[in-house]
Amino acid sequence: MALTIGAVTLRHGLMLAPMAGVTDASFRAICRQMGAEYVVSEMVSAKGLCYEQRGRAGAPLRTAPLAKVYDTDAPMAVQLFGREPDLMAKAAALLATGSYRGFSGLLPVAIDINMGCPVAKVVSNGEGAALLREPEQAAAIVRAVKKAVSLPVTVKMRAGFDKEHRNAPELAKRLEEAGADLLVVHGRTRDQFYAPKSDNAIIAAVKKAVAIPVIGNGDIFTADDAAHILAETGCDGVMPARGTLGNPFLFAEITALLENRPYLPPTPAERLQTALAQAADMVEKKGVRTGVAEARKHMAWYCRGLVGAAAARGALMQATTTDDFRRVFDDLLAQNP
Ligand SMILES: Cc1cc2nc3c(=O)[nH]c(=O)nc-3n(C[C@H](O)[C@H](O)[C@H](O)COP(=O)(O)O)c2cc1C
């Protein structure tokens, strides 16, 4: 069933999850080509965005580029993390209007608020998943951001902080009352990080508790996983994360299943061509040095499951140009006709 978020309508509610250090503009664009209907930026620090605006003109910007929306990855939401409602509102207003130093490209279609990041450095600042323990603070952030922008405000959250505090349904209600327009629920607590299995029952409980759309997240590695989470939770869309690493084709697979069409997986040659196209785009956007360094892990993910992948991984980690990637892939293709 179609899902509307502000100005955009998605046929299947099929979204790419935010992954810091992974889902940059190049990867987002490839996921869009494969069928992701909506993407979310890597998490952007509200403090970082606001403070760097005060820096001297010409000083390099680190945060603003993370929020850049290209025509190849739109529609995109920008995800903010932080804990002070005022600062979150200020950052959201900058993003929603494009009125910040370093802005170029398109405007985001929504502002997403991170209430799921489990990393100690973030949680110890009271940000990310720490907000799951502070429903009033979490609601205050949503109210403030809602007041500051006319874009939809969405929240990405977890099941709760730990197994004694699986409060996602109650928190979801609070966030809805505060003005949230959509929730993404990862069915794990903060304590669980990324294992064991994500719990679809808590996503179903959130869906029952609120009237706004709920997107299911957690352990979507195959089209069947997506179909299960939709059927088991009644959620309005799905947001794969780790299942897309080296496998943006997952979006084509899920789309085919939802549209009752057969899915033809890519051949090894098609896979590696996609990988090289991603690497080339990363180099174009970030320069050779950073682009190749950041592309290495992606290239290795694309090789998973191929004969000779382990040896190829070692060689990929030494690569300094995209031609090096190509040479490793040529060897690999000779072993995987
Ligand atoms: C490397 C990595 C980076 C992530 N960065 C973010 C982030 O910036 N913002 C966010 O909300 N979630 C982030 N996540 C969490 C994912 O979006 C997702 O909620 C989680 O991985 C569960 O989905 P999965 O089981 O399909 O991987 C990250 C996950 C990974 C593995």
Side-chain angles (χ1 to χ4, degrees), residues 15-304:
M15 304 177 171
L16 171 66
M19 284 183 277
V22 176
T23 55
D24 64 3
S26 304
F27 187 62
R28 294 192 303 258
I30 289 195
C31 290
R32 289 279 293 116
Q33 286 166 27
M34 297 294 164
E37 300 171 291
Y38 180 99
V39 303
V40 184
S41 73
E42 301 172 76
M43 63 182 198
V44 171
S45 162
K47 219 179 247 174
L49 186 71
C50 291
Y51 289 4
E52 85 179 354
Q53 293 301 307
R54 300 186 202 155
R56 69 181 159 76
L61 299 169
R62 293 193 178 174
T63 306
L66 292 174
K68 178 163 178 173
V69 185
Y70 291 80
D71 54 6
T72 45
D73 58 9
M76 177 172 113
V78 175
Q79 185 185 68
L80 282 174
F81 74 99
R83 76 169 274 109
E84 292 90 6
D86 289 357
L87 208 65
M88 292 288 277
K90 195 170 159 198
L94 296 178
L95 291 169
T97 54
S99 52
Y100 57 95
R101 199 152 59 87
F103 170 75
S104 64
L106 307 175
L107 291 173
V109 294
I111 302 295
D112 185 60
I113 300 172
N114 183 317
M115 299 194 189
C117 180
V119 172
K121 210 169 81 184
V122 171
V123 170
S124 63
N125 285 335
E127 302 168 335
L131 292 164
L132 301 168
R133 285 188 301 201
E134 294 182 81
E136 190 39 51
Q137 186 77 14
I141 293 172
V142 171
R143 275 194 300 273
V145 173
K146 214 33 212 179
K147 219 168 125 185
V149 302
S150 52
L151 290 178
V153 175
T154 64
V155 177
K156 184 158 173 289
M157 57 188 284
R158 284 180 175 245
F161 195 80
D162 54 29
K163 71 172 185 297
E164 285 78 36
H165 303 94
R166 292 167 52 84
N167 62 340
E170 301 87 270
L171 179 63
K173 249 189 263 177
R174 295 282 290 269
L175 299 175
E176 179 182 41
E177 283 159 16
D181 295 288
L182 174 146
L183 302 172
V184 179
V185 184
H186 174 193
R188 291 189 181 87
T189 59
R190 183 267 169 171
D191 273 18
Q192 293 179 312
F193 282 74
Y194 299 104
K197 207 174 159 10
S198 180
D199 176 17
N200 287 346
I202 195 114
I203 301 173
V206 171
K207 175 64 191 161
K208 274 216 184 83
V210 297
I212 52 176
V214 173
I215 306 300
N217 167 245
D219 290 342
I220 300 172
F221 293 99
T222 64
D224 280 347
D225 293 338
H228 279 137
I229 198 169
L230 285 164
E232 284 174 20
T233 69
C235 63
D236 303 278
V238 290
M239 183 184 260
R242 289 169 299 166
T244 68
L245 302 180
N247 186 27
F249 317 101
L250 178 58
F251 290 106
E253 189 192 341
I254 295 174
T255 307
L257 185 74
L258 296 178
E259 295 180 356
N260 219 358
R261 288 187 284 105
Y263 170 67
L264 205 59
T267 61
E270 286 163 346
R271 250 161 89 170
L272 299 182
Q273 265 157 24
T274 303
L276 286 175
Q278 186 184 331
D281 194 59
M282 291 175 79
V283 165
E284 194 181 313
K285 292 196 164 83
K286 303 181 186 196
V288 176
R289 206 185 156 91
T290 306
V292 169
E294 292 186 7
R296 289 179 192 131
K297 63 181 182 228
H298 287 275
M299 299 302 104
W301 289 327
Y302 277 100
C303 299
R304 268 188 310 215

